[in-house]
C-alpha cells in the first residue's frame, strides 16, 4: 500500500527530509511496523527511529500508538515530543 | 472562531472583551504564555515555532471540545502563534468564560496541560551557543496524567 510520510522538527532535520510518498511491503501493517521499516534504512534513520527514542506518531492528523493499523492513502507523521505553549 | 494558529500577535484585551460580551458570563480566566529570555541557563535571543498544519487546528479543537464536555462553559478562545518570536513576545492565549470561576480555572489549566503535550508545536531556540530544539519536560506529561486519573 501507499502512504504519505511527514517528519517534523528535529526529526525532519536529522533525516534531511520533510515528506515522502512510500510504497510499503505487505509486512508493514501498523504505525510501529512503519517506524521499524524506516529505521531499517540505516544511518540517521536507524539512529533517530531506534526503539527507545522518544518519537511520537500521528495517523491522519490524530496522535496514535505504535499498534495503530495503517490503511492505503494514510498520512503518517513522525515527530519528537511536542513543546508548544 | 474558537481556535487560531497564526504568525501575527494578538490583543488579549480585545479577546477578553469578546468573551465578556455575553451577559450570562460571570467569570473569565485567561492564560498567556510568553517567551522567556533564559532557558536551561542560556540567554535566548529568539525562538522559532514550527507546527503541523492541518493537524494543529484539529488537535486544539479536540482539546477545547473535551474541556467543554468536562465543564459547563460559555465560550473558549485559543490562539497559538508560530514563526519567529523574541523575548517578551506572546506565544499563546487561552481564554475561558463561564458562569462561575471554579469551572473556568479548571478548564483553562486543562486546556494548557493538554496543549503542552498533545498539540503538534515544536520550539527551537536561538542562544549564544547556536540553535537548539527545546526538549519536552517530564513535568508536562505528569500534568496530563493528573487529568487522566481524574485528579484535576
Amino acid at each position: 500500500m501507499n502512504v504519505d510520510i511527514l517528519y517534523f522538527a528535529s526529526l525532519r532535520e536529522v533525516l534531511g527530509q520533510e515528506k515522502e510518498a512510500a510504497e510499503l511491503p505487505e509486512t508493514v501493517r501498523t504505525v510501529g511496523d512503519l517506524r521499524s521499516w524506516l529505521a531499517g534504512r540505516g544511518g540517521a534513520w536507524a539512529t533517530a527511529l531506534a526503539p527507545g527514542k522518544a518519537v511520537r506518531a500521528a495517523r491522519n492528523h490524530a496522535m496514535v500508538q505504535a499498534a495503530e493499523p495503517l490503511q492505503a492513502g494514510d498520512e503518517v507523521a513522525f515527530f519528537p515530543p511536542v513543546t508548544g505553549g | 472562531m474558537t481556535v487560531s494558529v497564526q504568525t501575527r500577535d494578538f490583543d488579549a484585551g480585545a479577546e477578553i472583551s469578546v468573551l465578556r460580551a455575553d451577559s450570562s458570563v460571570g467569570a473569565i480566566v485567561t492564560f498567556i504564555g510568553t517567551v522567556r529570555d533564559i532557558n536551561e541557563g542560556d540567554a535566548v535571543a529568539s525562538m522559532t515555532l514550527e507546527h503541523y498544519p492541518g493537524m494543529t487546528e484539529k488537535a486544539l479543537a479536540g482539546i477545547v471540545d473535551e474541556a467543554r464536555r468536562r465543564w459547563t462553559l460559555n465560550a473558549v478562545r485559543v490562539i497559538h502563534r508560530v514563526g519567529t518570536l523574541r523575548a517578551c513576545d506572546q506565544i499563546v492565549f487561552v481564554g475561558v468564560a463561564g458562569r462561575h470561576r471554579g469551572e473556568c480555572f479548571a478548564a483553562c489549566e486543562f486546556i494548557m496541560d493538554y496543549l503542552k503535550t498533545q498539540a503538534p508545536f515544536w520550539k527551537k531556540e536561538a542562544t549564544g551557543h547556536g540553535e537548539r530544539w527545546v526538549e519536552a519536560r517530564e513535568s508536562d506529561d505528569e500534568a496530563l496524567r493528573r487529568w487522566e486519573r481524574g485528579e484535576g
Side-chain angles (χ1 to χ4, degrees), chain B residues 77-97:
Chain B
R77 180 80 169 112
V78 177
I79 305 170
H80 203 299
R81 295 177 70 193
V82 293
T84 300
L85 304 174
R86 300 192 169 278
C88 301
D89 280 355
Q90 304 185 108
I91 306 172
V92 59
F93 176 90
V94 175
V96 178

Side-chain angles (χ1 to χ4, degrees), chain A:
Chain A
M1 78 181 128
N2 290 286
V3 297
D4 288 324
I5 313 171
L6 279 65
Y7 309 97
F8 288 95
S10 54
L11 207 52
R12 168 176 53 75
E13 287 185 349
V14 299
L15 298 176
Q17 194 158 351
E18 64 182 68
K19 186 173 187 173
E20 64 176 304
E23 187 173 346
L24 308 180
E26 294 254 323
T27 51
V28 177
R29 298 196 183 92
T30 66
V31 169
D33 292 343
L34 177 57
R35 175 174 167 173
S36 304
W37 182 70
L38 292 166
R41 289 173 172 173
W45 298 85
T47 311
L49 299 172
K53 280 269 182 178
V55 175
R56 303 284 185 262
R59 173 176 170 254
N60 299 330
H61 295 160
M63 290 255 216
V64 294
Q65 301 297 315
E68 178 80 4
L70 293 171
Q71 286 188 10
D74 278 352
E75 178 176 300
V76 181
F78 292 101
F79 43 79
V82 302
T83 55

Side-chain angles (χ1 to χ4, degrees), chain B residues 25-38:
Chain B
V25 163
I28 297 169
V29 171
T30 62
F31 173 84
I32 295 171
T34 61
V35 180
R36 249 194 329 270
D37 66 353
I38 289 191

Side-chain angles (χ1 to χ4, degrees), chain B residues 4-16:
Chain B
S4 301
V5 179
Q6 61 191 44
T7 53
R8 67 181 183 280
D9 200 7
F10 53 82
D11 179 345
E15 298 298 335
I16 291 168

